[in-house]
Amino acid sequence: MNTRKNEIERRICELLASYLESSNHPELEAHGEITGDTNLASDFTLDSFQIMEFMMEIEESFDILIDVNSLSNSHTVSDLAEIVISSLDDTAG
Amino acid sequence: MALLDKFAAADNLKAQLSAVGHDPTQVVIDKIITATEGLVEGRHTILAGTNNYLGLTFDTACIEAGKQAIETQGTGTTGSRMANGSFAAHKALEQDLANFFGVPYGMVFSTGYAANLGTLTALLKPGDAVLLDADAHASLYDGCQMSGADIFRFRHNDTASLEKRLQRLGERAADCLIVTEGLYSVMGDCAPLPEIVELKKRYGAWLLVDEAHSLGVYGDSGCGVAEAQGVMQDVDFFVGTFSKSLGAMGGFCTSRHPQLELIRYVSRPFIFTASSSPSIVASTHEALRQLQARPELRKNLWRNAHQLYRGLHDSGFEVGPEISPVVAVRLGKKEVALPFWNYLLENGIYTNLMAPPASPDQHSYVRCSVSAAHTAQQVERIIQVFCEAKEKL
């Protein structure tokens, strides 16, 4: 995996941990380390509302726009990193 | 996964909802007595969750209009307007709606859901950008998604969040569509339309406002929140429904843009749906007249809204951010809200349960909607049963 994607994944992992902590998510401690393979829906049982909320955190952090349509099958941290990269590249033009 | 296995989650939800008592999604009102009262399991029940804002469902003029339409035009249209033709009554309602909003063009749909799907799928295409309030109704989401446009959410009623997204869109901002509601139906809060209009103008965007819950409720004429906030002339498209303050069924879009007339040619939810039946069109049209001729309905509605909001607030309940005919009470976890809602129902108060992910945050709510037809005694009884529920649960 390239360095850029590694770095973006690392930032998303931090954001996710922070989001789960701020929302007092019960499964945060039980799950352990968040990695690129972490699945938002199955590992943390985030519902559709929470996933949308978390997407806004990512948008703010990376100063990008995430199309709601791109989220339907993108539930791992690694998938999200791909979306962020795509959006950053779109913005760069 | 087998075809029918996907219903396991719904089956689980159904079991959870039924475990405490009544399933909030399956309440049967055995008999409607008045606009504000029904019989549920033999109990007289105050209807405090039916969006019947002006109480016109039992208005004698509306009922008479519906009866006459059935007798003179029949029970139904038996098809779409494109295939079967429009009845003169459809066209007359469209014109009067346009006049009411002070714009030249109006179009009616068979439901409010179809109005949003039909308008948004016609306005937007793949490659377009739409900025949607995060708490927008499902019909607005679905319309945007069906259109294939790129959908970007902004935080609910947060104009800073909207502006950030307009900035990030770059040149695309100049042709994007901003979609918002007038009155939001879960928390009962209004959009800050003057600020949104200011951004729309600065970036050259378009604006669609859904006045589903605010038609007949806000503004000197009852047009909605855009009228109340003085920005009607800056809204490109108004959408709304006939199933709330007008007491019937159907939806509409009005606009100052002549292209609204062309939506009839390209909107699949309009083209491929049977048109509204004559009785529905007639009672809706009469309700629109009543709305304009009887401002006292709005006065009564707001008197009741103040009474309920103040009563619940002063009894220690956490209510929505502003006084409106939609009064949401925050109850925290679903495990608390579900028995609370059941207690209300079993003691003669019908309300709506809103739980995640259908609520706008991590909390569950019991939502009331007030009617002009509620009496002060009925509103007092609603507050009393809420207090009893809090004490006992």
Side-chain angles (χ1 to χ4, degrees), chain B residues 177-205:
Chain B
L177 179 68
I178 300 168
V179 174
T180 176
E181 295 184 28
L183 174 67
Y184 283 86
S185 62
V186 177
M187 297 303 294
D189 52 338
C190 290
L193 291 180
E195 290 89 340
I196 291 173
V197 162
E198 200 273 328
L199 289 173
K200 163 203 137 86
K201 286 179 172 173
R202 196 188 314 159
Y203 288 86

Side-chain angles (χ1 to χ4, degrees), chain B residues 136-214:
Chain B
H137 189 261
S139 57
L140 296 168
Y141 268 99
D142 291 353
C144 291
Q145 285 200 304
M146 272 180 67
S147 76
D150 298 337
I151 307 166
F152 307 111
R153 300 161 81 232
F154 60 94
R155 291 189 190 279
H156 173 55
N157 278 352
D158 184 337
T159 49
S161 174
L162 172 60
E163 179 159 27
K164 269 187 194 169
R165 279 148 186 80
L166 284 162
Q167 288 168 347
R168 288 173 195 159
L169 274 175
E171 291 177 358
R172 296 178 77 193
D175 205 33
C176 78
L177 179 68
I178 300 168
V179 174
T180 176
E181 295 184 28
L183 174 67
Y184 283 86
S185 62
V186 177
M187 297 303 294
D189 52 338
C190 290
L193 291 180
E195 290 89 340
I196 291 173
V197 162
E198 200 273 328
L199 289 173
K200 163 203 137 86
K201 286 179 172 173
R202 196 188 314 159
Y203 288 86
W206 304 80
L207 177 61
L208 179 146
V209 178
D210 186 341
E211 299 272 22
H213 285 264
S214 27

Side-chain angles (χ1 to χ4, degrees), chain B residues 317-318 328-340 353-356 359 361-366:
Chain B
F317 287 100
E318 196 171 342
V329 175
R330 187 158 96 172
L331 292 168
K333 291 185 174 175
K334 188 164 71 178
E335 292 73 20
V336 175
L338 190 53
F340 195 101
L353 177 71
M354 317 292 289
S359 61
D361 55 29
Q362 290 311 294
H363 301 283
S364 292
Y365 296 83
V366 167

